[in-house]
Amino acid sequence: MTFFLASSTAQFSAELESSGDIGWEFAGSRELNKASIQEIEYDGECPGKDLGSIKAWFTSSKTPPAPKRRVVVKNVTKGLESDPYPYTDREYQKGKSSEGTQVAFGTKHRGSNFAVMEGENEFQYEIKENKKVIDSGSFTAVIDKKLDVRRRDATVTKNSVCFNSAVALNVCADIRTKTAYTCPNNKILRSIFEPNNPEIYTIISNQMFGEMVYVLNGNIHTLRPGEEKIYTGEYLNIQFNSTCRSGCSPTTPSQSLQPGKRYQFKSSGISGSKIIQLVDFPR
């Protein structure tokens, strides 16, 4: 009877020694095959989740790393997609463990993270040397979830912008202060313009020595030298005479102005053959 117990104890110890410590070493965990992954859940104006992950290294005291070795670990836990099962294929050539892999909660194989489920997970592994399997087996690991709930509201930014975003700021006639409420994913929740006026302003200026007569939306207008006028509306069509300032019929085709822009009448060319143009009027 005594001999039987001693024999059984010796056999049990031998089995422990042969199986060794096998499984995952997790960053920050003192216990093999045990870890917690923190997830952050946000409420407030910008709800969402940071799923979180943890770094892990495969280790086996039975078959330690050696040159030309790799280890493939597959998660075969029930509830995971099996075509294919989540897996990781890592170098296993030096030190006491494989190269690291990022572990995160999920149900299917993804490129950057090794998917696990909350609670107990069942893994199968194969250690290869020169593509030949020299050891294989299975082990379990327990991964808990730590949920951290936080409030996350939009950040507030103020900028000077052109009310018509298609117009560059240096030629903009309608510059306003834009207050934007933005979430971390760059989603703008709302924007407020000051002054809060739905009308958009366009400026036409006369930068010549004589007055300029033109037709805007079918109405005749006159600008004295150095004078400018502000017009509202999204549709502004202008005609003028390119060689004559006043008392002349329009000769240019109807030109559509870009709302919110600064324009100027300007003459160019040598004396006696000057051409009048309507061009941008930078600040």
Side-chain angles (χ1 to χ4, degrees), residues 42-249:
Y42 298 100
D43 58 16
E45 292 180 317
C46 302
K49 281 187 177 182
D50 284 342
L51 297 181
S53 64
I54 191 170
K55 196 168 186 179
W57 301 264
F58 175 84
T59 185
S60 171
S61 59
K62 175 186 173 186
T63 310
K68 298 182 181 180
R69 286 184 179 178
R70 297 189 69 86
V71 59
V72 178
V73 184
K74 186 185 300 183
N75 192 344
V76 295
T77 306
K78 288 182 179 179
L80 295 174
E81 292 192 17
S82 57
D83 188 21
Y85 279 114
Y87 69 91
T88 184
D89 184 346
R90 315 308 289 173
E91 288 184 2
Y92 192 61
Q93 299 190 66
K94 57 186 179 180
K96 64 183 182 66
S97 57
S98 70
E99 63 175 322
T101 187
Q102 288 298 126
V103 175
F105 291 121
T107 58
K108 62 182 179 180
H109 182 71
R110 291 183 292 176
S112 59
N113 288 330
F114 184 37
V116 296
M117 297 186 70
E118 184 179 1
E120 188 174 271
N121 288 254
E122 183 180 352
F123 299 95
Q124 294 177 353
Y125 71 91
E126 288 184 342
I127 298 174
K128 299 179 181 180
E129 186 172 300
N130 291 322
K131 298 183 179 180
K132 179 183 177 182
V133 177
I134 60 171
D135 187 17
S136 63
S138 63
F139 63 94
T140 61
V142 177
I143 299 104
D144 295 326
K145 180 189 293 186
K146 286 186 177 179
L147 185 61
D148 183 6
V149 180
R150 303 178 186 178
R151 182 174 180 84
R152 184 171 66 180
D153 293 330
T155 56
V156 181
T157 56
K158 290 180 180 285
N159 292 294
S160 294
V161 299
C162 191
F163 194 46
N164 181 357
S165 60
V167 176
L169 204 60
N170 69 319
V171 291
C172 180
D174 196 348
I175 296 177
R176 307 190 188 188
T177 299
K178 179 183 178 182
T179 303
Y181 296 81
T182 309
C183 287
N185 61 357
N186 294 322
K187 178 183 178 182
I188 298 177
L189 297 182
R190 59 190 180 277
S191 297
I192 299 173
F193 290 92
E194 296 176 280
N196 189 16
N197 187 337
E199 292 282 2
I200 188 168
Y201 303 112
T202 303
I203 290 177
I204 300 177
S205 176
N206 181 8
Q207 296 298 303
M208 301 183 298
F209 290 108
E211 71 176 15
M212 185 67 195
V213 177
Y214 55 94
V215 177
L216 186 72
N217 288 353
N219 298 314
I220 298 175
H221 298 260
T222 302
L223 274 177
R224 294 187 298 273
E227 184 183 14
E228 67 180 28
K229 287 185 178 180
I230 297 175
Y231 298 95
T232 59
E234 296 186 7
Y235 303 99
L236 299 173
N237 295 297
I238 193 170
Q239 287 180 285
F240 58 92
N241 193 303
S242 62
T243 58
C244 180
R245 293 188 179 91
S246 61
C248 309
S249 300

Side-chain angles (χ1 to χ4, degrees), residues 216 236-240 252-257 263 278-279:
L216 186 72
L236 299 173
N237 295 297
I238 193 170
Q239 287 180 285
F240 58 92
T252 59
S254 179
Q255 176 183 348
S256 294
L257 303 184
Y263 292 93
L278 184 65
V279 295

Side-chain angles (χ1 to χ4, degrees), residues 1-15:
M1 184 69 176
T2 304
F3 174 79
F4 173 76
L5 287 173
S7 176
S8 298
T9 303
Q11 182 180 357
F12 180 67
S13 299
E15 287 177 354

